[in-house]
Coordinates of all heavy atoms in Angstrom, one line a residue:
A727 N 91.6 -193.0 126.2 CA 90.1 -192.9 126.2 C 89.4 -194.2 126.1 O 88.4 -194.5 126.7 CB 89.7 -191.9 125.1
V728 N 90.0 -195.1 125.3 CA 89.4 -196.5 125.1 C 89.5 -197.2 126.5 O 88.5 -197.8 126.9 CB 90.2 -197.2 124.1 CG1 89.7 -198.7 124.0 CG2 90.1 -196.6 122.7
L729 N 90.6 -197.2 127.1 CA 90.8 -197.9 128.4 C 89.9 -197.2 129.5 O 89.3 -197.9 130.3 CB 92.2 -197.8 128.9 CG 93.2 -198.6 127.9 CD1 94.6 -198.4 128.4 CD2 92.8 -200.0 127.7
E730 N 89.8 -195.9 129.5 CA 88.9 -195.2 130.4 C 87.4 -195.6 130.2 O 86.7 -195.9 131.2 CB 89.0 -193.7 130.3 CG 88.3 -192.9 131.3 CD 86.9 -192.7 131.1 OE1 86.4 -192.8 129.9 OE2 86.1 -192.5 132.0
H731 N 87.0 -195.7 129.0 CA 85.6 -196.1 128.7 C 85.4 -197.5 129.1 O 84.3 -197.9 129.5 CB 85.3 -195.9 127.2 CG 83.9 -196.2 126.8 ND1 82.8 -195.6 127.3 CD2 83.4 -197.2 126.0 CE1 81.7 -196.1 126.8 NE2 82.1 -197.1 126.0
R732 N 86.4 -198.4 128.9 CA 86.3 -199.8 129.3 C 86.1 -199.9 130.8 O 85.2 -200.7 131.2 CB 87.5 -200.5 128.8 CG 87.3 -202.0 128.7 CD 88.3 -202.7 127.8 NE 88.3 -204.1 128.0 CZ 89.2 -204.8 128.6 NH1 90.3 -204.2 129.0 NH2 89.1 -206.1 128.8
R733 N 86.9 -199.1 131.5 CA 86.7 -199.2 133.0 C 85.4 -198.6 133.4 O 84.7 -199.2 134.3 CB 87.8 -198.4 133.6 CG 89.2 -199.0 133.6 CD 90.2 -198.3 134.5 NE 90.5 -197.0 134.0 CZ 91.5 -196.7 133.1 NH1 92.3 -197.7 132.7 NH2 91.7 -195.4 132.7
W734 N 84.9 -197.6 132.7 CA 83.6 -197.0 133.0 C 82.5 -198.0 132.8 O 81.6 -198.1 133.5 CB 83.4 -195.7 132.2 CG 82.2 -194.9 132.5 CD1 82.0 -193.9 133.3 CD2 80.9 -195.1 131.9 NE1 80.8 -193.4 133.3 CE2 80.0 -194.2 132.4 CE3 80.4 -196.0 130.9 CZ2 78.7 -194.1 132.1 CZ3 79.1 -195.9 130.6 CH2 78.2 -195.0 131.2
T735 N 82.6 -198.7 131.7 CA 81.6 -199.7 131.3 C 81.6 -200.8 132.3 O 80.5 -201.3 132.7 CB 81.9 -200.3 129.9 OG1 81.9 -199.2 129.0 CG2 80.8 -201.3 129.5
E736 N 82.7 -201.3 132.8 CA 82.8 -202.3 133.8 C 82.1 -201.8 135.1 O 81.4 -202.6 135.8 CB 84.2 -202.7 134.1 CG 84.9 -203.4 133.0 CD 86.4 -203.6 133.2 OE1 86.9 -203.1 134.2 OE2 87.0 -204.3 132.4
E737 N 82.2 -200.5 135.4 CA 81.6 -200.0 136.7 C 80.1 -199.7 136.5 O 79.3 -199.9 137.4 CB 82.3 -198.8 137.1 CG 83.8 -199.0 137.5 CD 84.5 -197.7 137.8 OE1 83.9 -196.7 137.7 OE2 85.7 -197.8 138.1
N738 N 79.7 -199.2 135.3 CA 78.3 -198.7 135.1 C 77.5 -199.6 134.2 O 76.3 -199.2 134.0 CB 78.4 -197.3 134.6 CG 79.1 -196.3 135.5 OD1 78.5 -195.8 136.4 ND2 80.4 -196.1 135.2
G739 N 78.0 -200.6 133.6 CA 77.3 -201.4 132.7 C 77.3 -200.8 131.3 O 77.7 -199.7 131.1
E740 N 76.9 -201.6 130.3 CA 77.0 -201.2 128.9 C 75.9 -200.2 128.6 O 74.7 -200.3 129.1 CB 76.8 -202.4 128.0 CG 77.0 -202.0 126.5 CD 77.2 -203.2 125.6 OE1 77.4 -204.3 126.1 OE2 77.0 -203.0 124.4
H741 N 76.3 -199.1 127.9 CA 75.3 -198.1 127.5 C 75.4 -197.9 126.0 O 76.5 -198.0 125.4 CB 75.6 -196.8 128.3 CG 75.1 -196.8 129.7 ND1 75.6 -197.6 130.6 CD2 74.1 -196.1 130.3 CE1 75.0 -197.4 131.8 NE2 74.0 -196.5 131.6
A742 N 74.3 -197.5 125.4 CA 74.3 -197.3 124.0 C 75.0 -196.0 123.6 O 75.6 -195.8 122.6 CB 72.9 -197.3 123.4
L743 N 74.8 -194.9 124.5 CA 75.3 -193.6 124.2 C 75.8 -193.0 125.5 O 75.1 -193.0 126.5 CB 74.2 -192.7 123.6 CG 74.7 -191.3 123.2 CD1 75.7 -191.3 122.1 CD2 73.4 -190.4 122.8
R744 N 77.1 -192.6 125.4 CA 77.7 -191.9 126.6 C 78.3 -190.6 126.2 O 79.1 -190.6 125.2 CB 78.7 -192.9 127.2 CG 79.4 -192.2 128.4 CD 80.7 -192.9 128.8 NE 81.5 -192.2 129.8 CZ 82.8 -192.4 130.0 NH1 83.4 -193.2 129.3 NH2 83.4 -191.6 131.0
L745 N 78.1 -189.6 126.9 CA 78.7 -188.3 126.7 C 79.3 -187.8 128.0 O 78.6 -187.9 129.1 CB 77.7 -187.2 126.2 CG 77.0 -187.6 124.9 CD1 75.6 -188.2 125.2 CD2 76.9 -186.3 124.0
D746 N 80.5 -187.4 127.9 CA 81.2 -186.9 129.1 C 81.9 -185.5 128.8 O 82.9 -185.5 128.1 CB 82.2 -187.9 129.6 CG 82.8 -187.5 131.0 OD1 82.6 -186.4 131.4 OD2 83.6 -188.3 131.5
Q747 N 81.3 -184.4 129.2 CA 81.8 -183.1 128.9 C 82.0 -182.9 127.4 O 83.0 -182.3 127.0 CB 83.1 -182.9 129.7 CG 83.0 -182.9 131.2 CD 82.1 -181.8 131.7 OE1 82.3 -180.6 131.4 NE2 81.1 -182.1 132.6
V748 N 81.1 -183.3 126.6 CA 81.2 -183.2 125.2 C 80.8 -181.8 124.7 O 79.7 -181.3 125.1 CB 80.3 -184.2 124.5 CG1 80.2 -183.9 123.0 CG2 80.8 -185.6 124.7
V749 N 81.7 -181.2 124.0 CA 81.4 -179.9 123.4 C 81.6 -180.0 121.9 O 82.7 -180.6 121.4 CB 82.3 -178.8 123.9 CG1 82.1 -177.5 123.2 CG2 82.1 -178.6 125.4
A750 N 80.7 -179.6 121.1 CA 80.8 -179.7 119.6 C 80.4 -178.4 118.9 O 79.4 -177.8 119.4 CB 79.9 -180.9 119.1
P751 N 81.0 -178.1 117.8 CA 80.6 -176.9 117.1 C 79.2 -177.1 116.4 O 78.9 -178.2 116.0 CB 81.7 -176.7 116.0 CG 82.3 -178.1 115.9 CD 82.2 -178.7 117.2
L752 N 78.4 -176.1 116.4 CA 77.1 -176.2 115.8 C 77.2 -176.5 114.3 O 78.1 -175.9 113.6 CB 76.3 -174.9 116.0 CG 75.8 -174.7 117.5 CD1 75.2 -173.3 117.6 CD2 74.8 -175.8 117.9
L753 N 76.3 -177.2 113.8 CA 76.2 -177.5 112.3 C 75.4 -176.3 111.7 O 74.3 -176.0 112.1 CB 75.5 -178.8 112.0 CG 76.3 -180.1 112.4 CD1 75.4 -181.3 112.1 CD2 77.6 -180.2 111.6
G754 N 76.0 -175.7 110.7 CA 75.3 -174.6 110.0 C 75.1 -173.3 110.7 O 74.3 -172.5 110.3
A755 N 75.8 -173.2 111.8 CA 75.7 -171.9 112.6 C 76.9 -171.7 113.4 O 77.7 -172.7 113.6 CB 74.5 -172.0 113.5
S756 N 77.2 -170.5 113.9 CA 78.3 -170.3 114.8 C 77.9 -170.6 116.2 O 76.8 -170.6 116.6 CB 78.7 -168.8 114.7 OG 77.6 -168.0 115.0
G757 N 78.9 -171.0 117.0 CA 78.7 -171.3 118.4 C 78.9 -172.8 118.6 O 79.3 -173.6 117.7
T758 N 78.6 -173.3 119.8 CA 78.8 -174.7 120.2 C 77.6 -175.2 120.9 O 76.7 -174.4 121.4 CB 80.0 -174.9 121.1 OG1 79.8 -174.1 122.3 CG2 81.3 -174.4 120.4
V759 N 77.5 -176.5 121.1 CA 76.6 -177.1 122.0 C 77.4 -177.9 123.1 O 78.4 -178.5 122.8 CB 75.6 -178.1 121.2 CG1 76.4 -179.2 120.6 CG2 74.5 -178.6 122.1
G760 N 76.9 -177.8 124.3 CA 77.6 -178.5 125.4 C 78.2 -177.5 126.4 O 78.0 -176.3 126.3
P761 N 78.8 -178.0 127.5 CA 79.2 -179.4 127.6 C 78.0 -180.4 128.0 O 77.2 -180.0 128.8 CB 80.2 -179.4 128.8 CG 79.8 -178.2 129.6 CD 79.3 -177.2 128.6
L762 N 78.0 -181.5 127.4 CA 76.9 -182.5 127.6 C 77.5 -183.7 128.3 O 78.5 -184.2 127.9 CB 76.4 -183.0 126.2 CG 75.6 -182.0 125.4 CD1 75.4 -182.5 124.0 CD2 74.3 -181.6 126.0
T763 N 76.8 -184.1 129.4 CA 77.3 -185.3 130.1 C 76.1 -186.2 130.5 O 75.0 -185.7 130.9 CB 77.9 -184.9 131.5 OG1 79.1 -184.1 131.2 CG2 78.3 -186.1 132.3
G764 N 76.2 -187.5 130.2 CA 75.1 -188.4 130.5 C 75.2 -189.6 129.7 O 76.1 -189.8 128.9
S765 N 74.3 -190.6 129.9 CA 74.3 -191.8 129.1 C 72.9 -192.4 129.0 O 72.1 -192.1 129.9 CB 75.3 -192.8 129.8 OG 74.9 -193.1 131.1
I766 N 72.7 -193.3 128.0 CA 71.4 -194.0 127.9 C 71.8 -195.5 127.6 O 72.8 -195.8 127.0 CB 70.5 -193.4 126.8 CG1 71.2 -193.4 125.4 CG2 70.1 -192.0 127.2 CD1 70.3 -193.0 124.3
A767 N 70.9 -196.3 128.1 CA 71.1 -197.8 128.0 C 70.6 -198.2 126.6 O 69.8 -197.6 126.0 CB 70.4 -198.5 129.1
P768 N 71.1 -199.4 126.1 CA 70.5 -200.0 124.9 C 69.0 -200.2 125.1 O 68.5 -200.5 126.2 CB 71.3 -201.3 124.7 CG 72.5 -201.1 125.5 CD 72.2 -200.2 126.6
G769 N 68.2 -200.1 124.0 CA 66.8 -200.3 124.1 C 66.0 -199.1 124.5 O 64.9 -199.2 124.9
T770 N 66.7 -197.9 124.5 CA 66.1 -196.7 124.9 C 65.6 -195.9 123.6 O 66.2 -195.9 122.6 CB 67.1 -195.8 125.6 OG1 67.5 -196.5 126.8 CG2 66.5 -194.4 126.0
L771 N 64.4 -195.2 123.8 CA 63.9 -194.3 122.8 C 64.1 -192.9 123.4 O 63.4 -192.5 124.3 CB 62.5 -194.5 122.5 CG 61.9 -193.8 121.2 CD1 60.7 -194.6 120.7 CD2 61.5 -192.4 121.5
L772 N 65.0 -192.1 122.8 CA 65.4 -190.8 123.3 C 64.8 -189.7 122.4 O 65.0 -189.7 121.2 CB 66.9 -190.6 123.4 CG 67.4 -189.2 123.8 CD1 67.0 -189.0 125.3 CD2 68.9 -189.1 123.7
V773 N 64.0 -188.8 123.0 CA 63.4 -187.7 122.2 C 64.3 -186.5 122.5 O 64.5 -186.1 123.7 CB 62.0 -187.4 122.6 CG1 61.5 -186.2 121.9 CG2 61.1 -188.6 122.3
V774 N 64.9 -185.9 121.5 CA 65.8 -184.8 121.7 C 65.0 -183.5 121.3 O 64.6 -183.2 120.2 CB 67.0 -184.9 120.7 CG1 67.9 -183.6 120.9 CG2 67.8 -186.1 121.0
R775 N 64.7 -182.7 122.4 CA 63.8 -181.5 122.2 C 64.8 -180.3 122.0 O 65.6 -180.1 122.9 CB 63.0 -181.3 123.4 CG 62.0 -182.4 123.7 CD 61.3 -182.1 125.0 NE 60.4 -183.2 125.5 CZ 60.0 -183.3 126.7 NH1 60.4 -182.4 127.7 NH2 59.3 -184.4 127.1
A776 N 64.5 -179.5 121.0 CA 65.3 -178.3 120.8 C 64.6 -177.5 119.7 O 64.6 -177.9 118.5 CB 66.7 -178.7 120.3
P777 N 64.1 -176.3 120.1 CA 63.6 -175.4 119.1 C 64.7 -174.9 118.2 O 64.4 -174.5 117.0 CB 63.0 -174.3 119.9 CG 62.8 -174.8 121.3 CD 63.9 -175.8 121.5
D778 N 65.9 -174.9 118.7 CA 67.1 -174.4 117.9 C 67.5 -175.5 117.0 O 68.0 -176.6 117.3 CB 68.2 -174.1 118.9 CG 69.4 -173.5 118.2 OD1 69.6 -173.8 117.0 OD2 70.1 -172.7 118.9
D779 N 67.2 -175.3 115.7 CA 67.5 -176.3 114.6 C 69.0 -176.8 114.6 O 69.3 -178.0 114.5 CB 67.1 -175.8 113.3 CG 65.6 -175.7 113.1 OD1 64.9 -176.3 113.9 OD2 65.1 -175.0 112.2
A780 N 69.8 -175.8 114.8 CA 71.3 -176.1 114.7 C 71.7 -177.0 115.9 O 72.4 -178.0 115.8 CB 72.1 -174.8 114.7
A781 N 71.2 -176.7 117.1 CA 71.5 -177.5 118.3 C 71.0 -178.9 118.2 O 71.7 -179.9 118.5 CB 71.0 -176.8 119.6

Side-chain angles (χ1 to χ4, degrees):
V728 175
L729 298 178
E730 188 279 334
H731 181 63
R732 198 157 167 252
R733 287 191 294 270
W734 185 92
T735 302
E736 290 173 355
E737 296 172 1
N738 299 278
E740 185 169 344
H741 282 68
L743 180 66
R744 178 198 171 200
L745 301 97
D746 188 352
Q747 296 296 311
V748 169
V749 176
L752 290 171
L753 291 175
S756 58
T758 60
V759 62
L762 296 168
T763 297
S765 59
I766 58 173
T770 298
L771 192 156
L772 177 66
V773 178
V774 180
R775 301 174 186 162
D778 188 331
D779 290 342

